[in-house]
Amino acid sequence: MTTVKEQKIEKLETKREYYQMIINGERVDSVSGETFTTYNPATGEPLAKVAKATTEDTDRAVEAARQAFEKGKWRRYPINKRSRVLNKIASIMRSRFNELVELEVLNSGKSLTAAQGQVNQSIEDFEFYAGAIVGHRGTVNNMPGGFFNYTQNEPVGVCAQIIPWNYPMMMAAWKIAPAIAVGCSVVIKPASLTPLTAIVLAEICHEAGVPEGVVNIVPGPGALIGDHLAEHPGVDKVAFTGSTPTGKDIMKKASQTLKRLTLELGGKSPNLVFEDADIDAAVDGSLFGIFYNTGQSCEARSRLYIHENVYDEFMEKFVAKTKKLTLGDPLSQSTHVGAIISRGQLEVIDGYVKSAIEEGATILHGGEEVKVEGFENGYWYAPTIITDVTPEMKVVKEEIFGPVVVVQKFTDEKAVIKEANNTEFGLGSAIWTKDQGRATRVANQIEAGIVMVNCPFSAFPGTPFGGYKQSGFGRELCIETLDLYTEQKSVISYYGSRPINPFGV
Ligand code: NAD
């Protein structure tokens, strides 16, 4: 056991050798003195050391968040003042844009352009909620004469926010911005593989004027720290993004104290190309839909359905463009596809591809680990296209979370909708057609939280993001997210001239 070293937060270098936790507005070591190493997936080399939280550290973080919530000034600030601080966070992030992008690339192995887009969106999330909170109002409701009812939104309290490794900074922004906008306090548990940008974001929150205890961050093992937070009696709400099995586990634990819960989970999103589609646009959008972020996206359009009349034309162009994708230095502007997050994840992906081969599928392109010049010890997997699949195959049913797409041919609109919905998930989906009537008809029947029509993008600040079925519940990134961080209080009053005597005694 070592003494906890505490340091006030001031502007720090974004890139450094050691990152501490943040508890009660201070950078602290773990009470155990332990650290863990985080790596650069593109090279396999160590990147930095990170303080490894224990359950004792986590208790301190929850207690700091509780004190800040109950006794602190943040939730009592006028809304405009909180809004100003959120805008300040955005402006500090903007001034450090290149540093944040570089750190995100180094810690995740993703391509520069992907990281640029995600850091930019993270900034816009804070700007969005800085505006949205000002218009987040209560209501006045119709009542019989003499009665008056209004509602007000009150912050739900201490929120544990557990996030995954695929969008390390963006997931932190999606969680922190709406929660602190309404006056909650948060304890963030980043993924152990990618904790760095979330830690820097928490530091920036303090630099911008968020008071101590409102934003705390405890990097550490999910099974220990995430689990402890999900069960913690001092936590009022858990907001989780990650895999469906972990989400189910958290739901069970959070139910013991009936915590509020938002779950953003896995997906296996269908991508439907109809015969009347603009084929070139559909090819480009489908390519981005699966290979963006190296396929490590919850909304990756990993099941591709092509109408038989355009199948050959589409596939010829799709394979040709897949061959043109560059895997290389993630910090280069010309790299399209970055590294896989870890050796373990690469093996999971390869295992799925091997299972497809065993079950009789054809690997049309890719299907193997690749060596990238200058990055020989990193984790790289070829963009992979699998055909001759059937709905029962593992690669069609399960989330692979890598650059792997399965392709099927269809003839009939009704049948393809049925097939698209033949999944336990319901996060994203895409439709390519020039017929507006068909687009609307199909969109109405797809069981998914997000439908992209002739569009490769799934999320903008302001658009609801979340799933149907086992992809979770609750919507993030939108105005309604503010409701998920508040309790609605209904105040009923009587102002009539005659006293009320309901019992009549
Ligand atoms: P994961 O479920 O393994 O981990 C997510 C987070 O939970 C990590 O911080 C991890 O440390 C923590 N955790 C692990 N075990 C825990 C436990 N028992 N109790 C509490 N916390 C625990 O997921 P991952 O591999 O980091 O991320 C990939 C998954 O995330 C994919 O399934 C992907 O679809 C999903 N995802 C969903 C969305 C969305 O918005 N729906 C967005 C991004 C990623």
Side-chain angles (χ1 to χ4, degrees), residues 50-102:
V50 181
K52 184 175 174 185
T54 61
T55 52
E56 199 181 322
D57 295 311
T58 310
D59 289 342
R60 290 182 58 221
V62 172
E63 181 54 24
R66 173 64 51 202
Q67 289 297 320
F69 184 69
E70 283 176 8
K71 307 211 175 103
K73 52 195 174 182
W74 180 246
R75 68 185 279 208
R76 293 172 184 87
Y77 276 172
I79 283 179
N80 284 344
K81 190 164 173 182
R82 284 206 302 272
S83 170
R84 265 202 307 279
V85 174
L86 262 73
N87 272 321
K88 180 92 187 284
I89 295 169
S91 90
I92 297 174
M93 289 169 80
R94 215 176 273 293
S95 71
R96 292 168 69 177
F97 182 79
N98 289 336
E99 296 167 54
L100 293 172
V101 167
E102 186 188 2

Side-chain angles (χ1 to χ4, degrees), residues 161-167 170-171 174-175 188-194 220-230 238 240-247 249-250 253 263-268 293 296-300 341 345 399-401 425 427 450 465-467 471-472 476:
Q161 304 185 310
I162 305 172
I163 57 177
W165 47 258
N166 62 331
Y167 300 128
M170 209 169 74
M171 289 299 107
W174 283 25
K175 296 276 184 281
I188 305 144
K189 211 303 279 174
S192 302
L193 290 166
T194 56
L224 182 71
I225 306 303
D227 198 85
H228 192 60
L229 283 167
V238 179
F240 171 76
T241 298
S243 63
T244 298
T246 309
D249 194 40
I250 286 177
K253 297 199 166 113
L263 295 176
E264 298 276 11
L265 309 176
K268 190 77 184 175
N293 216 46
Q296 301 169 125
S297 301
C298 47
E299 81 293 0
I341 192 69
Q345 182 63 15
E399 183 181 45
I400 298 174
F401 224 59
F425 298 111
L427 188 57
I450 305 144
F465 194 98
S471 288
E476 293 193 304

Side-chain angles (χ1 to χ4, degrees), residues 167 267-273 281-282 284-293 295-305 314 318 384 395 399 401-407 427-432 448 450-459 465:
Y167 300 128
K268 190 77 184 175
S269 302
N271 186 4
L272 279 44
V273 181
D284 293 342
S286 304
L287 201 71
F288 184 82
I290 180 63
F291 298 129
Y292 168 69
N293 216 46
Q296 301 169 125
S297 301
C298 47
E299 81 293 0
R301 275 124 281 162
S302 50
R303 288 184 295 143
L304 185 48
Y305 295 91
F314 181 97
F318 188 68
T384 299
V395 281
E399 183 181 45
F401 224 59
V404 180
V405 66
V406 294
V407 190
L427 188 57
S429 61
I431 302 168
W432 300 90
I450 305 144
V451 184
M452 291 158 261
V453 178
N454 299 324
C455 171
F457 304 125
S458 61
F465 194 98

